[in-house]
Amino acid sequence: LLASTLTYDSLRFGEIEDFPETSEPVWILGQQFSALTEKDEILADVTSRLWFTYRKNFQPIGGTGPTSDTGWGCMLRCGQMILGQALICRHLGRDWRWSPGQRQRAEYINILNAFIDKKDSYYSIHQIAQMGVGEGKSIGQWYGPNTVAQVLKKLAVFDSWSRLAVHVAMDNTVVIEEISEFSFLTALWKPLVLLIPLRLGLSDINEAYIEPLKQCFMMPQSLGVIGGKPNSAHYFIGFVGDELIYLDPHTTQPAVDPNEDEQFPDDSYHCQHPPCRMHICELDPSIAAGFFCQTEDDFDDWCAQIRKVPKP
């Protein structure tokens, strides 16, 4: 963090509290922990998530565009985080843990390389920003959750290694037949990333949606939630009590270049302090929830669980 540029958010690092001493369960991306007896496990799990933040001094986007995304790229970085979690589940499994300072598995290096700030990486800030032009967003313009979901869907088509099916559900509705029909037509189930843009209220979250939102984090297929308003998008990975647990992209770090054998210092891609928390009522109502179904059975299980979620 010494190399970080002091933005308004990085100044808050000294103020981040440790996890509360509470008997209420801590839920992170479908896994339950005890804050009283499993604090180390909680932090190890959070630290293992990919943490994408603002970066500076990367190649100009589009050849002549910005060399930093500070101030405009937070939702794009949140999109990278939710898709990064999908790739971890796809190639390494939900239970995989990052070990700092050790030589990492090839699959992990491949995942990280897909997000490096270079124009030819599958899901780089360059690719997301340039693909967003087709969604009506000029380079350097802030995205909402729906825009970043649509862009990730388009970019995933080119990722022949991961072979993901990215489905963006529109109008708050998942049409099961659309997903099943695609699988039937191709005669092959592709690991599914399901992104569901939602509006949970007008200017504030409607309290009726709080419990259903919490249940999303409790499902084993959970990829978390991206959301926020301009200049304050976050990647929400769980909750404890009425507080959401999230990773914050608002820290500017220098761009990282892999060396010749594609190993590179990866400490800055993992948040190594206790995660941020906010009261659930502070959540901006415009979000996108994500889920990952490796197999068709996972999808059938997700459908069964969603049907049990109480309707607001």
Side-chain angles (χ1 to χ4, degrees):
L1 293 175
L2 293 176
S4 299
T5 301
L6 285 178
T7 63
Y8 71 95
D9 271 284
S10 61
L11 292 169
R12 295 198 321 224
F13 278 170
E15 305 164 26
I16 292 172
E17 304 169 23
D18 204 352
F19 249 80
E21 297 287 330
T22 176
S23 58
E24 293 192 87
V26 178
W27 282 94
I28 296 174
L29 300 174
Q31 295 194 353
Q32 182 178 353
F33 299 91
S34 163
L36 299 176
T37 62
E38 297 180 294
K39 200 161 283 188
D40 288 347
E41 288 86 348
I42 292 169
L43 293 177
D45 193 17
V46 171
T47 299
S48 296
R49 302 312 111 219
L50 290 175
W51 181 44
F52 295 117
T53 69
Y54 290 151
R55 297 272 172 175
K56 62 178 181 176
N57 302 329
F58 48 66
Q59 300 166 354
I61 295 175
T64 57
T67 58
S68 171
D69 61 311
T70 300
W72 60 271
C74 55
M75 184 61 82
L76 287 73
R77 297 300 185 179
C78 290
Q80 287 182 323
M81 285 191 266
I82 201 168
L83 193 71
Q85 179 58 22
L87 294 188
I88 284 177
C89 292
R90 165 79 173 91
H91 297 290
L92 297 168
R94 171 65 183 89
D95 295 329
W96 172 83
R97 294 294 180 268
W98 176 66
S99 302
Q102 296 186 13
R103 190 169 183 88
Q104 305 292 346
R105 286 174 56 178
E107 296 93 336
Y108 166 80
I109 297 298
N110 285 344
I111 292 169
L112 212 45
N113 268 314
F115 296 95
I116 290 294
D117 301 313
K118 298 170 81 167
K119 68 179 190 307
D120 52 354
S121 298
Y122 289 132
Y123 308 109
S124 66
I125 193 83
H126 300 65
Q127 292 281 3
I128 297 175
Q130 292 187 282
M131 188 64 83
V133 173
E135 296 291 321
K137 298 287 184 181
S138 56
I139 292 171
Q141 190 174 355
W142 193 83
Y143 285 21
N146 178 55
T147 300
V148 81
Q150 297 292 350
V151 167
L152 292 174
K153 175 181 178 176
K154 289 181 177 178
L155 292 176
V157 173
F158 303 100
D159 181 359
S160 55
W161 177 56
S162 297
R163 292 180 49 79
L164 296 173
V166 177
H167 183 83
V168 181
M170 298 310 295
D171 303 320
N172 300 351
T173 305
V174 176
V175 181
I176 292 170
E177 290 74 21
E178 286 181 8
I179 294 168
S180 302
E181 185 179 344
F182 176 81
S183 174
F184 176 77
L185 290 173
T186 58
L188 181 70
W189 176 264
K190 278 183 165 182
L192 173 68
V193 175
L194 185 55
L195 300 173
I196 310 177
L198 296 166
R199 187 146 196 103
L200 306 182
L202 295 175
S203 57
D204 300 298
I205 184 171
N206 185 324
E207 289 190 5
Y209 292 112
I210 289 177
E211 287 307 315
L213 181 62
K214 286 182 178 180
Q215 293 202 22
C216 289
F217 292 110
M218 298 163 69
M219 297 176 185
Q221 297 88 349
S222 175
L223 291 176
V225 165
I226 56 175
K229 38 189 176 259
N231 301 321
S232 61
H234 302 303
Y235 174 41
F236 299 93
I237 57 174
F239 72 93
V240 54
D242 284 328
E243 288 188 314
L244 294 174
I245 300 164
Y246 66 94
L247 296 179
D248 189 342
H250 300 90
T251 297
T252 303
Q253 304 186 88
V256 173
D257 264 330
N259 59 25
E260 286 178 8
D261 65 353
E262 296 195 325
Q263 294 282 335
F264 50 87
D266 61 342
D267 283 29
S268 67
Y269 291 98
H270 296 274
C271 183
Q272 296 173 68
H273 57 72
C276 308
R277 304 193 311 276
M278 73 159 69
H279 196 279
I280 199 164
C281 289
E282 295 175 35
L283 179 69
D284 187 84
S286 179
I287 66 165
F291 302 92
F292 177 73
C293 301
Q294 181 89 277
T295 65
E296 198 161 5
D297 285 346
D298 290 340
F299 178 60
D300 292 341
D301 177 69
W302 178 84
C303 292
Q305 291 183 74
I306 282 291
R307 289 189 178 106
K308 293 177 190 168
V309 174
K311 302 290 184 292

